[in-house]
Amino acid sequence: MQEIGLAEAVKAIREDLARAQLEGADEEIRFSVGPVEVEFEVAVVREGGANGKVKVWVVEVGASGKLAQTTTHRVAVTLNPQVDGKPIEVGDRLRKPGR
């Protein structure tokens, strides 16, 4: 099983939104991106005993093995994507009529 950190999962969402914005740049119809609500099932693991580091990993669907002995939790996160303090749009400009 490949461990994916919560920050890495949020980074993937950010990259997908940026890609959607670029791919929609020349589209006539645009969508404002509102709050993005995501829910993760995560495993909280303490490494190195009582004084060790605590890590949060996103659990893969169908994961087995060592996670069978690890407690999992659901974490809901609401992201409000912005560029320069403004909500982003997927497709950043309208075509002129007749194009």
Side-chain angles (χ1 to χ4, degrees), residues 4-7 41-45 54-58 75:
I4 301 169
L6 190 57
E41 187 165 332
V42 298
V44 180
V45 181
V54 174
K55 292 190 176 183
V56 177
W57 301 108
V58 175
V75 176

Side-chain angles (χ1 to χ4, degrees), residues 27-61:
E27 296 297 326
E28 185 173 352
I29 297 174
R30 299 179 297 168
F31 302 97
S32 294
V33 178
V36 177
E37 297 180 16
V38 292
E39 187 173 292
F40 301 102
E41 187 165 332
V42 298
V44 180
V45 181
R46 182 182 302 271
E47 295 182 346
N51 295 325
K53 242 179 161 175
V54 174
K55 292 190 176 183
V56 177
W57 301 108
V58 175
V59 177
E60 294 180 49
V61 173

